[in-house]
């Protein structure tokens, strides 16, 4: 995965949801042209990676069949891969969608089920020798917010991620191609999300690059009592803290603003910056 990450700071992954129902950008980029234009804009804003998704994973979202998901993402990835020099990841739990996306030019798989939805995803990553993001989630998007209970959320998430990493390695994925993600907002209450961000160094201690997705999520809305459109500053605070605690990839909607946040937070932590 290192080949896709900047040497001096964490990477900024721009979100491109080709869906009618995503919690922030749902419906904005359903038309292929609009999605491709947004992808180019994300690249121009400074995205190091672009994550293209065709199925919303917001709490309670209903699932989409593989054919529909493919129709949404494959054409967009094909066009975008020709237009921008930014590696594209595909945000999907379905190996058939991931395979078609890789054929169309995506280079990374982002599986929020960590290969539990369909374990053939791990075999696919092994076969294609591509990096894969393994994320922690309780249950499925439909059920994940039904009273999540943990005794030790950080310990349980770390144990889950370690076991999914080991499973991926057993199925042939090279350890250096694995990225781990604590799954902020996926089957977690506010206190669980805060504990995971506070104790992020324990997740990073598993030895793989860590991806964190906090962008405009509801835990920020709960703290500030603000709707999704007004969570930019809260996102900035969470991004800066995630950088300080060892995140290597930050997944965000607002690439221009958050890449500035990442650069300053990282310069403070590392004492170096681009050009230093
Ligand atoms: N969060 C979302 C979707 N995919 N992937 C990873 N690895 N980590 C995340 O935290 C993550 C993710 C949810 O955000 P978004 O894509 O904006 O919304 P939706 O699922 O409604 O499309």
């Amino acid at each position: 995965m290192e080949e896709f990450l900047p040497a001096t700071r964490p990477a900024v992954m721009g979100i491109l949801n080709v869906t009618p129902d995503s919690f922030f950008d749902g419906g904005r980029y359903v038309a292929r042209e609009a999605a491709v234009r947004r992808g180019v804009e994300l690249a121009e804003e400074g995205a190091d990676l672009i994550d293209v998704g065709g199925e919303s994973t917001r709490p309670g979202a209903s699932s989409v069949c593989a054919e529909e998901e493919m129709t949404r993402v494959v054409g967009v990835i094909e066009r975008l891969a020709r237009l921008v020099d930014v590696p594209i990841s595909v945000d999907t739990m379905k190996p058939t969608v991931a395979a078609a996306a890789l054929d169309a030019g995506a280079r990374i798989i982002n599986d929020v089920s960590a290969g539990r939805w369909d374990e053939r995803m791990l075999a696919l990553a092994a076969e294609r020798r591509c990096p894969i993001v393994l994320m922690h989630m309780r249950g499925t998007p439909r059920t994940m917010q039904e009273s999540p209970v943990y005794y030790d959320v950080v310990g349980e998430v770390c144990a889950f991620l370690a076991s999914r990493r080991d499973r991926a390695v057993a199925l042939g994925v090279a350890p250096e191609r694995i990225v781990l993600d604590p799954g902020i907002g996926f089957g977690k209450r506010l206190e669980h999300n805060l504990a995971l961000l506070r104790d992020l160094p324990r997740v990073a201690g598993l030895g793989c690059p860590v991806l964190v997705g906090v962008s405009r999520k509801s835990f920020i809305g709960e703290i500030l009592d603000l709707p999704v459109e007004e969570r930019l500053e809260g996102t900035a605070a969470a991004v800066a803290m995630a950088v300080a605690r060892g995140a290597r990839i930050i997944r965000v909607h607002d690439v221009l603003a958050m890449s500035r946040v990442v650069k300053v937070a990282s310069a403070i932590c590392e004492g170096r910056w681009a050009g230093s």
Side-chain angles (χ1 to χ4, degrees), residues 17 22-23 56-57 91 110 112 135 181 186 213 217 251 253:
N17 284 317
S22 288
F23 79 95
S56 172
T57 50
D91 185 352
N110 175 21
V112 298
M135 195 196 79
D181 181 340
F186 285 83
K217 284 188 176 168
R251 184 181 180 276
H253 301 93

Side-chain angles (χ1 to χ4, degrees), residues 63-268:
S63 52
V64 172
C65 73
E67 288 69 31
E68 170 64 19
E69 208 183 320
M70 255 185 245
T71 307
R72 291 179 186 175
V73 300
V74 170
V76 172
I77 291 172
E78 213 161 46
R79 289 278 313 281
L80 200 53
R82 290 208 195 101
L83 289 172
V84 301
D85 194 21
V86 175
I88 296 169
S89 57
V90 60
D91 185 352
T92 184
M93 299 189 283
K94 302 186 189 79
T96 50
V97 175
L102 293 172
D103 291 341
R107 298 168 73 185
I108 300 163
I109 298 171
N110 175 21
D111 181 357
V112 298
S113 83
R116 283 181 312 139
W117 185 269
D118 186 336
E119 216 166 51
R120 283 172 292 186
M121 189 69 102
L122 304 178
L124 177 72
E127 184 195 314
R128 302 293 189 100
R129 298 166 167 268
C130 68
I132 181 164
V133 180
L134 303 175
M135 195 196 79
H136 175 271
M137 167 171 41
R138 261 292 167 82
T140 64
R142 193 188 278 275
T143 62
M144 66 188 179
Q145 289 304 113
E146 290 168 7
S147 330
V149 174
Y150 299 85
Y151 294 100
D152 163 18
V153 66
V154 181
E156 288 170 48
V157 167
C158 285
F160 170 93
L161 292 175
S163 87
R164 296 314 298 164
R165 175 202 57 200
D166 293 349
R167 183 70 186 142
V169 171
L171 289 174
V173 181
E176 64 272 15
R177 295 205 179 99
I178 297 174
V179 175
L180 300 178
D181 181 340
I184 299 299
F186 285 83
K188 285 126 190 147
R189 294 177 192 276
L190 173 59
E191 62 268 30
H192 302 139
N193 292 313
L194 298 180
L196 284 164
L197 289 168
R198 199 178 317 117
D199 271 350
L200 203 62
R202 278 175 67 192
V203 183
L206 294 171
C208 297
V210 171
L211 186 154
V212 171
V214 288
S215 194
R216 296 182 179 267
K217 284 188 176 168
S218 65
F219 81 97
I220 296 170
E222 281 181 63
I223 296 169
L224 299 176
D225 192 21
L226 286 173
V228 66
E229 304 77 34
E230 293 185 53
R231 296 178 190 163
L232 183 70
E233 301 85 350
T235 299
V239 164
M241 296 305 288
V243 168
R245 283 162 156 70
R248 295 286 309 281
I249 306 170
I250 299 289
R251 184 181 180 276
V252 290
H253 301 93
D254 308 279
V255 167
L256 183 67
M258 294 312 142
S259 63
R260 292 173 180 169
V261 171
V262 165
K263 284 175 187 165
V264 174
S266 169
I268 293 168

